[in-house]
Amino acid sequence: ILNVEQSPQSLHVQEGDSTNFTCSFPSSNFYALHWYRWETAKSPEALFVMTLNGDEKKKGRISATLNTKEGYSYLYIKGSQPEDSATYLCAFPGYSTLTFGKGTMLLVSP
Amino acid sequence: NAGVTQTPKFQVLKTGQSMTLQCAQDMNHEYMSWYRQDPGMGLRLIHYSVGAGITDQGEVPNGYNVSRSTTEDFPLRLLSAAPSQTSVYFCASSSGGPKGTQYFGPGTRLLVL
């Protein structure tokens, strides 16, 4: 079982705040690092699949960076909106399985 | 193109009963997997399949059985339901194995009394 850690566990911010979360994963045998967005009562949806050290991906106000040598990825949300409220999951693939972190639950208040 | 579908959406079972959770995908993905979601535990892998006829165990396989007779379908069987199996179950599929983007079904909420 691979160790994939996310912090913080939860976060409550005000509309307009920028925020970031961390995902740490094993730095050996790196294949890729996934980020998913999971809204309450829905199913997880892919945000990014990151494969290269130093990779930076962006989707609207959400961006992510990757450091494979030290085993961490950051997810940033610029100018949070109430519709950004969700749980953000990272996942680390092994040879044949995918291990998810427990997620960071974000609540954005108007 | 329906993506990944799961049935039923919700089920109540009594301890000891058996049932099958259905999962189907129409994207011709070789890789399919089953996860359970429990509070504070995140998504945990139950079983996965890398193609028709090939299945393997994940992190929490006890009490569950799977088969993969076609590319499209990957049913999950509960052999003798226990209250500890009360959970939300998600099926997912991917064209790139565990490294590729996972497409999730809508989930099945199971309550075992």
Short mmCIF file of all heavy atoms in Angstrom, two decimals, chain A residues 1 31-32 34 36 38 41-46 49 89 93-102, chain B residues 31 35 37 40-43 45 48 50 57-59 90 98-107:
data_model
loop_
_atom_site.label_atom_id
_atom_site.label_comp_id
_atom_site.label_asym_id
_atom_site.label_seq_id
_atom_site.Cartn_x
_atom_site.Cartn_y
_atom_site.Cartn_z
N ILE A 1 0.85 -1.19 0.00
CA ILE A 1 0.00 0.00 0.00
C ILE A 1 0.89 1.24 0.00
O ILE A 1 1.73 1.40 0.86
CB ILE A 1 -0.92 0.01 1.24
CG1 ILE A 1 -1.85 -1.21 1.22
CG2 ILE A 1 -1.74 1.30 1.27
CD1 ILE A 1 -2.65 -1.36 2.49
N TYR A 31 5.29 7.40 -11.73
CA TYR A 31 4.65 7.25 -13.04
C TYR A 31 3.87 8.51 -13.39
O TYR A 31 3.96 9.03 -14.50
CB TYR A 31 3.69 6.07 -13.05
CG TYR A 31 4.34 4.71 -12.87
CD1 TYR A 31 4.23 4.01 -11.67
CD2 TYR A 31 5.05 4.12 -13.91
CE1 TYR A 31 4.81 2.76 -11.51
CE2 TYR A 31 5.64 2.87 -13.75
CZ TYR A 31 5.51 2.21 -12.54
OH TYR A 31 6.08 0.98 -12.38
N ALA A 32 3.06 8.98 -12.43
CA ALA A 32 2.19 10.13 -12.67
C ALA A 32 1.57 10.53 -11.33
O ALA A 32 1.67 9.81 -10.34
CB ALA A 32 1.08 9.80 -13.67
N HIS A 34 -2.19 12.32 -10.05
CA HIS A 34 -3.50 12.79 -10.48
C HIS A 34 -4.09 13.74 -9.44
O HIS A 34 -3.88 13.55 -8.24
CB HIS A 34 -4.50 11.62 -10.57
CG HIS A 34 -4.14 10.56 -11.55
ND1 HIS A 34 -5.09 9.82 -12.21
CD2 HIS A 34 -2.96 10.07 -11.99
CE1 HIS A 34 -4.52 8.94 -12.98
NE2 HIS A 34 -3.22 9.07 -12.87
N TYR A 36 -8.08 15.16 -8.53
CA TYR A 36 -9.50 15.05 -8.83
C TYR A 36 -10.27 16.02 -7.95
O TYR A 36 -9.89 16.31 -6.82
CB TYR A 36 -10.01 13.63 -8.54
CG TYR A 36 -9.51 12.59 -9.52
CD1 TYR A 36 -8.28 11.99 -9.33
CD2 TYR A 36 -10.26 12.24 -10.63
CE1 TYR A 36 -7.80 11.06 -10.23
CE2 TYR A 36 -9.79 11.30 -11.54
CZ TYR A 36 -8.55 10.72 -11.33
OH TYR A 36 -8.07 9.80 -12.22
N TRP A 38 -14.04 16.54 -6.23
CA TRP A 38 -15.16 15.69 -5.84
C TRP A 38 -16.18 16.53 -5.10
O TRP A 38 -16.01 16.85 -3.92
CB TRP A 38 -14.65 14.56 -4.96
CG TRP A 38 -15.60 13.46 -4.72
CD1 TRP A 38 -16.86 13.31 -5.21
CD2 TRP A 38 -15.36 12.30 -3.92
NE1 TRP A 38 -17.41 12.14 -4.78
CE2 TRP A 38 -16.50 11.49 -3.97
CE3 TRP A 38 -14.27 11.86 -3.17
CZ2 TRP A 38 -16.60 10.28 -3.32
CZ3 TRP A 38 -14.38 10.66 -2.50
CH2 TRP A 38 -15.52 9.89 -2.58
N ALA A 41 -22.21 14.53 -3.16
CA ALA A 41 -23.27 13.80 -3.85
C ALA A 41 -22.98 13.57 -5.34
O ALA A 41 -23.89 13.16 -6.08
CB ALA A 41 -24.63 14.48 -3.68
N LYS A 42 -21.77 13.81 -5.75
CA LYS A 42 -21.38 13.50 -7.13
C LYS A 42 -20.21 12.52 -7.11
O LYS A 42 -19.83 12.02 -6.05
CB LYS A 42 -21.01 14.78 -7.88
CG LYS A 42 -22.18 15.74 -8.06
CD LYS A 42 -21.79 16.89 -8.95
CE LYS A 42 -22.99 17.80 -9.19
NZ LYS A 42 -22.63 18.95 -10.07
N SER A 43 -19.65 12.24 -8.28
CA SER A 43 -18.49 11.36 -8.32
C SER A 43 -17.25 12.18 -8.68
O SER A 43 -17.36 13.27 -9.25
CB SER A 43 -18.71 10.22 -9.32
OG SER A 43 -19.27 10.68 -10.50
N PRO A 44 -16.06 11.67 -8.34
CA PRO A 44 -14.83 12.42 -8.62
C PRO A 44 -14.64 12.69 -10.11
O PRO A 44 -14.94 11.83 -10.94
CB PRO A 44 -13.73 11.50 -8.09
CG PRO A 44 -14.40 10.61 -7.10
CD PRO A 44 -15.79 10.41 -7.63
N GLU A 45 -14.14 13.89 -10.41
CA GLU A 45 -13.85 14.25 -11.79
C GLU A 45 -12.40 14.70 -11.90
O GLU A 45 -11.90 15.42 -11.03
CB GLU A 45 -14.76 15.39 -12.26
CG GLU A 45 -16.20 14.98 -12.43
CD GLU A 45 -17.06 16.09 -13.01
OE1 GLU A 45 -16.59 17.24 -13.02
OE2 GLU A 45 -18.18 15.79 -13.43
N ALA A 46 -11.75 14.28 -12.96
CA ALA A 46 -10.32 14.57 -13.12
C ALA A 46 -10.08 16.06 -13.35
O ALA A 46 -10.79 16.72 -14.10
CB ALA A 46 -9.76 13.77 -14.29
N VAL A 49 -3.64 15.33 -14.79
CA VAL A 49 -2.72 14.21 -14.67
C VAL A 49 -1.33 14.78 -14.97
O VAL A 49 -1.11 15.33 -16.05
CB VAL A 49 -3.05 13.07 -15.65
CG1 VAL A 49 -2.01 11.96 -15.51
CG2 VAL A 49 -4.44 12.51 -15.37
N LEU A 89 -8.88 15.57 -4.29
CA LEU A 89 -8.15 14.33 -4.07
C LEU A 89 -6.92 14.29 -4.95
O LEU A 89 -6.98 14.70 -6.11
CB LEU A 89 -9.01 13.12 -4.46
CG LEU A 89 -10.31 12.86 -3.72
CD1 LEU A 89 -11.09 11.76 -4.44
CD2 LEU A 89 -10.03 12.42 -2.30
N PRO A 93 -0.39 6.52 -8.97
CA PRO A 93 -0.46 5.17 -9.54
C PRO A 93 0.81 4.38 -9.26
O PRO A 93 1.93 4.89 -9.37
CB PRO A 93 -0.62 5.44 -11.04
CG PRO A 93 -0.05 6.79 -11.25
CD PRO A 93 -0.17 7.55 -9.97
N GLY A 94 0.58 3.11 -8.91
CA GLY A 94 1.68 2.17 -8.88
C GLY A 94 1.70 1.44 -10.21
O GLY A 94 1.14 1.92 -11.20
N TYR A 95 2.29 0.26 -10.24
CA TYR A 95 2.38 -0.48 -11.50
C TYR A 95 0.99 -0.84 -12.03
O TYR A 95 0.72 -0.75 -13.22
CB TYR A 95 3.21 -1.74 -11.30
CG TYR A 95 3.37 -2.54 -12.56
CD1 TYR A 95 4.20 -2.09 -13.59
CD2 TYR A 95 2.69 -3.74 -12.75
CE1 TYR A 95 4.33 -2.81 -14.76
CE2 TYR A 95 2.83 -4.46 -13.91
CZ TYR A 95 3.66 -4.00 -14.91
OH TYR A 95 3.78 -4.71 -16.07
N SER A 96 0.10 -1.27 -11.14
CA SER A 96 -1.21 -1.70 -11.62
C SER A 96 -2.38 -1.16 -10.81
O SER A 96 -3.52 -1.47 -11.11
CB SER A 96 -1.29 -3.24 -11.65
OG SER A 96 -0.97 -3.76 -10.39
N THR A 97 -2.11 -0.38 -9.79
CA THR A 97 -3.20 0.15 -8.98
C THR A 97 -3.00 1.64 -8.75
O THR A 97 -1.91 2.18 -8.94
CB THR A 97 -3.29 -0.55 -7.61
OG1 THR A 97 -2.06 -0.33 -6.90
CG2 THR A 97 -3.52 -2.05 -7.77
N LEU A 98 -4.08 2.30 -8.33
CA LEU A 98 -4.07 3.73 -8.06
C LEU A 98 -4.42 3.94 -6.60
O LEU A 98 -5.44 3.43 -6.14
CB LEU A 98 -5.10 4.42 -8.96
CG LEU A 98 -5.16 5.94 -8.97
CD1 LEU A 98 -3.88 6.54 -9.50
CD2 LEU A 98 -6.35 6.40 -9.81
N THR A 99 -3.58 4.67 -5.87
CA THR A 99 -3.83 4.94 -4.45
C THR A 99 -4.21 6.39 -4.27
O THR A 99 -3.49 7.29 -4.70
CB THR A 99 -2.57 4.63 -3.61
OG1 THR A 99 -2.21 3.25 -3.79
CG2 THR A 99 -2.84 4.89 -2.13
N PHE A 100 -5.36 6.61 -3.61
CA PHE A 100 -5.85 7.95 -3.37
C PHE A 100 -5.44 8.43 -1.99
O PHE A 100 -5.40 7.66 -1.03
CB PHE A 100 -7.38 7.98 -3.46
CG PHE A 100 -7.90 7.96 -4.86
CD1 PHE A 100 -8.08 6.77 -5.54
CD2 PHE A 100 -8.22 9.15 -5.52
CE1 PHE A 100 -8.55 6.75 -6.84
CE2 PHE A 100 -8.70 9.14 -6.81
CZ PHE A 100 -8.86 7.94 -7.48
N GLY A 101 -5.16 9.73 -1.89
CA GLY A 101 -5.08 10.35 -0.58
C GLY A 101 -6.48 10.52 -0.02
O GLY A 101 -7.48 10.27 -0.71
N LYS A 102 -6.56 10.95 1.25
CA LYS A 102 -7.87 11.09 1.89
C LYS A 102 -8.56 12.39 1.52
O LYS A 102 -9.73 12.58 1.84
CB LYS A 102 -7.72 10.97 3.40
CG LYS A 102 -7.30 9.57 3.82
CD LYS A 102 -7.18 9.43 5.32
CE LYS A 102 -6.72 8.01 5.65
NZ LYS A 102 -6.51 7.81 7.09
N TYR B 31 -9.04 -0.97 -18.48
CA TYR B 31 -8.83 -0.95 -17.03
C TYR B 31 -10.10 -0.52 -16.32
O TYR B 31 -10.67 0.54 -16.63
CB TYR B 31 -7.69 0.01 -16.69
CG TYR B 31 -7.23 -0.02 -15.25
CD1 TYR B 31 -6.29 -0.93 -14.80
CD2 TYR B 31 -7.73 0.91 -14.33
CE1 TYR B 31 -5.85 -0.95 -13.48
CE2 TYR B 31 -7.30 0.90 -13.01
CZ TYR B 31 -6.35 -0.02 -12.59
OH TYR B 31 -5.91 -0.03 -11.29
N TYR B 35 -14.01 0.92 -6.01
CA TYR B 35 -13.56 1.56 -4.78
C TYR B 35 -14.74 1.64 -3.81
O TYR B 35 -15.89 1.71 -4.23
CB TYR B 35 -13.08 2.99 -5.05
CG TYR B 35 -11.85 3.09 -5.90
CD1 TYR B 35 -11.94 3.15 -7.29
CD2 TYR B 35 -10.58 3.15 -5.33
CE1 TYR B 35 -10.81 3.25 -8.08
CE2 TYR B 35 -9.44 3.25 -6.11
CZ TYR B 35 -9.57 3.30 -7.48
OH TYR B 35 -8.43 3.40 -8.25
N GLN B 37 -15.97 4.10 -0.49
CA GLN B 37 -15.69 5.38 0.17
C GLN B 37 -16.33 5.38 1.54
O GLN B 37 -17.55 5.22 1.68
CB GLN B 37 -16.25 6.54 -0.64
CG GLN B 37 -15.94 7.89 -0.04
CD GLN B 37 -17.17 8.75 0.19
OE1 GLN B 37 -18.20 8.55 -0.44
NE2 GLN B 37 -17.06 9.71 1.06
N GLY B 40 -13.61 9.56 6.44
CA GLY B 40 -12.27 9.60 7.01
C GLY B 40 -11.28 8.63 6.38
O GLY B 40 -10.11 8.62 6.76
N MET B 41 -11.75 7.81 5.44
CA MET B 41 -10.86 6.79 4.86
C MET B 41 -10.56 7.05 3.39
O MET B 41 -9.73 6.37 2.80
CB MET B 41 -11.52 5.40 4.98
CG MET B 41 -11.84 4.99 6.39
SD MET B 41 -10.37 4.83 7.40
CE MET B 41 -9.62 3.38 6.69
N GLY B 42 -11.22 8.00 2.78
CA GLY B 42 -10.99 8.26 1.37
C GLY B 42 -11.51 7.14 0.49
O GLY B 42 -12.39 6.37 0.89
N LEU B 43 -10.96 7.01 -0.68
CA LEU B 43 -11.33 5.95 -1.63
C LEU B 43 -10.34 4.80 -1.48
O LEU B 43 -9.13 4.99 -1.63
CB LEU B 43 -11.28 6.47 -3.07
CG LEU B 43 -12.38 7.41 -3.52
CD1 LEU B 43 -12.03 8.02 -4.86
CD2 LEU B 43 -13.71 6.66 -3.61
N LEU B 45 -9.30 0.88 -2.80
CA LEU B 45 -9.46 -0.02 -3.93
C LEU B 45 -9.87 -1.41 -3.44
O LEU B 45 -9.21 -2.01 -2.59
CB LEU B 45 -8.15 -0.10 -4.71
CG LEU B 45 -8.13 -0.97 -5.95
CD1 LEU B 45 -9.07 -0.40 -7.02
CD2 LEU B 45 -6.70 -1.06 -6.50
N TYR B 48 -9.63 -4.78 -9.08
CA TYR B 48 -9.45 -4.11 -10.36
C TYR B 48 -9.26 -5.15 -11.45
O TYR B 48 -9.04 -6.35 -11.18
CB TYR B 48 -8.26 -3.14 -10.32
CG TYR B 48 -6.91 -3.80 -10.15
CD1 TYR B 48 -6.10 -4.06 -11.25
CD2 TYR B 48 -6.44 -4.14 -8.88
CE1 TYR B 48 -4.86 -4.66 -11.08
CE2 TYR B 48 -5.21 -4.74 -8.72
CZ TYR B 48 -4.42 -4.99 -9.80
OH TYR B 48 -3.20 -5.58 -9.64
N VAL B 50 -7.49 -5.49 -15.55
CA VAL B 50 -6.71 -4.86 -16.63
C VAL B 50 -7.23 -5.28 -18.00
O VAL B 50 -6.68 -4.85 -19.03
CB VAL B 50 -5.20 -5.15 -16.50
CG1 VAL B 50 -4.67 -4.58 -15.19
CG2 VAL B 50 -4.92 -6.64 -16.58
N GLN B 57 -6.81 -8.37 -6.79
CA GLN B 57 -7.28 -7.76 -5.56
C GLN B 57 -6.63 -6.41 -5.33
O GLN B 57 -5.48 -6.18 -5.70
CB GLN B 57 -6.95 -8.67 -4.38
CG GLN B 57 -7.64 -10.01 -4.44
CD GLN B 57 -7.27 -10.89 -3.25
OE1 GLN B 57 -6.39 -10.56 -2.46
NE2 GLN B 57 -7.97 -12.01 -3.11
N GLY B 58 -7.39 -5.53 -4.67
CA GLY B 58 -6.87 -4.25 -4.24
C GLY B 58 -6.55 -4.28 -2.76
O GLY B 58 -6.17 -5.31 -2.21
N GLU B 59 -6.77 -3.15 -2.12
CA GLU B 59 -6.42 -2.97 -0.71
C GLU B 59 -7.39 -3.68 0.23
O GLU B 59 -6.99 -4.20 1.27
CB GLU B 59 -6.39 -1.47 -0.40
CG GLU B 59 -6.00 -1.10 1.00
CD GLU B 59 -6.11 0.41 1.25
OE1 GLU B 59 -6.32 1.18 0.29
OE2 GLU B 59 -6.02 0.82 2.43
N PHE B 90 -17.90 3.04 -5.73
CA PHE B 90 -17.67 3.68 -7.01
C PHE B 90 -16.93 2.73 -7.94
O PHE B 90 -15.95 2.10 -7.55
CB PHE B 90 -16.85 4.95 -6.86
CG PHE B 90 -17.59 6.09 -6.24
CD1 PHE B 90 -17.51 6.34 -4.88
CD2 PHE B 90 -18.40 6.92 -7.01
CE1 PHE B 90 -18.20 7.38 -4.30
CE2 PHE B 90 -19.10 7.97 -6.45
CZ PHE B 90 -18.99 8.21 -5.09
N PRO B 98 -3.81 2.40 -14.45
CA PRO B 98 -3.86 3.28 -13.27
C PRO B 98 -3.21 4.64 -13.53
O PRO B 98 -3.46 5.59 -12.80
CB PRO B 98 -3.07 2.48 -12.22
CG PRO B 98 -2.18 1.60 -13.02
CD PRO B 98 -2.94 1.25 -14.25
N LYS B 99 -2.41 4.75 -14.57
CA LYS B 99 -1.73 6.02 -14.85
C LYS B 99 -2.64 6.99 -15.60
O LYS B 99 -2.40 8.18 -15.64
CB LYS B 99 -0.46 5.77 -15.67
CG LYS B 99 0.49 4.76 -15.04
CD LYS B 99 1.60 4.39 -15.98
CE LYS B 99 2.42 3.20 -15.49
NZ LYS B 99 1.64 1.99 -15.19
N GLY B 100 -3.67 6.46 -16.24
CA GLY B 100 -4.55 7.29 -17.05
C GLY B 100 -5.68 7.90 -16.24
O GLY B 100 -5.96 7.46 -15.11
N THR B 101 -6.32 8.90 -16.80
CA THR B 101 -7.46 9.54 -16.15
C THR B 101 -8.54 8.50 -15.86
O THR B 101 -8.92 7.72 -16.73
CB THR B 101 -8.03 10.63 -17.06
OG1 THR B 101 -7.03 11.63 -17.25
CG2 THR B 101 -9.27 11.26 -16.44
N GLN B 102 -9.02 8.49 -14.62
CA GLN B 102 -10.09 7.57 -14.21
C GLN B 102 -11.44 8.27 -14.40
O GLN B 102 -11.62 9.42 -13.98
CB GLN B 102 -9.91 7.20 -12.74
CG GLN B 102 -8.54 6.65 -12.39
CD GLN B 102 -8.23 5.33 -13.06
OE1 GLN B 102 -9.02 4.38 -12.99
NE2 GLN B 102 -7.08 5.23 -13.71
N TYR B 103 -12.37 7.55 -15.00
CA TYR B 103 -13.74 8.05 -15.17
C TYR B 103 -14.63 7.27 -14.22
O TYR B 103 -14.70 6.04 -14.31
CB TYR B 103 -14.19 7.87 -16.62
CG TYR B 103 -13.40 8.73 -17.58
CD1 TYR B 103 -12.21 8.26 -18.13
CD2 TYR B 103 -13.81 10.02 -17.90
CE1 TYR B 103 -11.46 9.04 -18.99
CE2 TYR B 103 -13.07 10.81 -18.76
CZ TYR B 103 -11.89 10.32 -19.29
OH TYR B 103 -11.16 11.10 -20.12
N PHE B 104 -15.30 8.00 -13.33
CA PHE B 104 -16.06 7.36 -12.27
C PHE B 104 -17.54 7.28 -12.62
O PHE B 104 -18.10 8.18 -13.27
CB PHE B 104 -15.92 8.14 -10.97
CG PHE B 104 -14.58 7.96 -10.30
CD1 PHE B 104 -13.50 8.72 -10.66
CD2 PHE B 104 -14.41 6.99 -9.32
CE1 PHE B 104 -12.26 8.55 -10.06
CE2 PHE B 104 -13.19 6.80 -8.71
CZ PHE B 104 -12.11 7.59 -9.08
N GLY B 105 -18.17 6.21 -12.16
CA GLY B 105 -19.62 6.11 -12.21
C GLY B 105 -20.24 6.95 -11.10
O GLY B 105 -19.53 7.51 -10.26
N PRO B 106 -21.58 7.01 -11.06
CA PRO B 106 -22.27 7.87 -10.09
C PRO B 106 -22.30 7.32 -8.68
O PRO B 106 -22.68 8.02 -7.74
CB PRO B 106 -23.69 7.97 -10.66
CG PRO B 106 -23.84 6.72 -11.45
CD PRO B 106 -22.50 6.40 -12.02
N GLY B 107 -21.90 6.07 -8.49
CA GLY B 107 -21.85 5.49 -7.15
C GLY B 107 -23.10 4.71 -6.80
O GLY B 107 -24.19 4.96 -7.32
#
